[in-house]
Amino acid sequence: MSIYLPIAELSVNIFVILGMGAAVGFLSGMFGVGGGFLITPLLIFYHIPPVVAVATGASQVVASSVSGALTHFRRGTLDMKLGTVLLTGGIVGATVGIWLFSMLRDLGQLDLVISLLYVVLLSSIGALMLVESIRAIRRSSKQQSVSLRKPGQHNWVHRLPIKMRFKKSKLYLSVIPVFALGGMIGVLTSSLGVGGGFIMVPAMIYLLRIPTNIVVGTSLFQIIFVSAYTTVIQATTNYSVDIVLATLLMLSSVVGAQYGVRVGQKLKGEQLRALLAILILAVGIRLAFGLVVTPSDLFSVVFEGSPQ
């Protein structure tokens, strides 16, 4: 069963799109990531123009993140105060990212830059997370402590000024790295169509030393509003959000996210990190493969005014 996408200007199988949304929603709820780093490449693999995939992917991230964040809020694993500081930085970063997105599009380099950034980010972060997770699993099997945050343990981040107390996360640290992390995620959300959770989650765990059970819900909370802001701005400035595609993805991802949260609650922190690392690496390798392999069709025709 096919459906026509007016902004992407092509017909797609509705069940394939629904399946993508449900799968990404499930992973979003399970790992605490918005899922944009998955849905955007998947849409590109399915021949959706990258400009449309990036902008529309942000709208899907909103739906899956709302569903997952509500579940964590009910369970008391969401730090609203920490999430608000991240959100403030995220809005600032998203504004900068949208400007960069428009500039690259005008220069005709958007597709290449998006693919290269995905490969670099996903491959490096996935590899680092996988190495750490394997070490943690080995320590766990030997019944050694796998705690990422020991009492009295601090790094350079905790010595920065302008400190604030986050009671839910049991932390007292500077708002500067929290704001900066939110800003970086905002840039990625608006320029790459990602929720940024695949960077925010490990950064909150390893850099800020936030407990893993709090990280997931707080990450989703920030992602909701930054992605929503990005979607609105992309729709009004670049006219690249396909409402038909966005609706299908949002409906299916909400359902998938609920099941993902339930599964994620049953896994240990180091197991979740290992699975997320493998997933990130797999997407990065697939994108890299597409960049270096010679395509079957070396030529394409793009009409003036096309979103491609």
Side-chain angles (χ1 to χ4, degrees), residues 120-142:
V120 173
L121 285 172
L122 298 182
S123 300
S124 57
I125 292 171
L128 289 172
M129 284 187 66
L130 185 59
V131 170
E132 189 282 331
S133 300
I134 291 174
R135 289 175 180 171
I137 291 173
R138 286 178 177 175
R139 288 196 299 268
S140 179
S141 64
K142 296 177 182 179

Side-chain angles (χ1 to χ4, degrees), residues 247-276:
T247 301
L248 293 174
L249 291 173
M250 285 190 288
L251 290 175
S252 55
S253 65
V254 167
V255 177
Q258 292 299 311
Y259 290 97
V261 170
R262 295 176 186 176
V263 174
Q265 292 290 326
K266 298 178 182 179
L267 296 175
K268 295 181 179 179
E270 59 268 22
Q271 293 174 331
L272 276 174
R273 297 195 300 275
L275 289 173
L276 179 57

Side-chain angles (χ1 to χ4, degrees), residues 166-203:
F166 302 98
K167 294 183 180 179
K168 179 69 71 172
S169 299
K170 299 179 181 178
L171 288 174
Y172 180 63
L173 78 164
S174 170
V175 298
I176 295 175
V178 180
F179 183 88
L181 176 61
M184 180 178 66
I185 299 305
V187 173
L188 293 175
T189 299
S190 54
S191 59
L192 294 180
V194 301
F198 69 98
I199 292 180
M200 187 169 3
V201 169

Side-chain angles (χ1 to χ4, degrees), residues 4 28 30 50 67 87 132 138 150 157 165 190 193 200 226 306:
Y4 183 73
S28 172
M30 184 177 178
S67 182
L87 172 59
E132 189 282 331
R138 286 178 177 175
K150 301 175 183 178
V157 170
R165 190 173 300 280
S190 54
M200 187 169 3
V226 174
S306 168

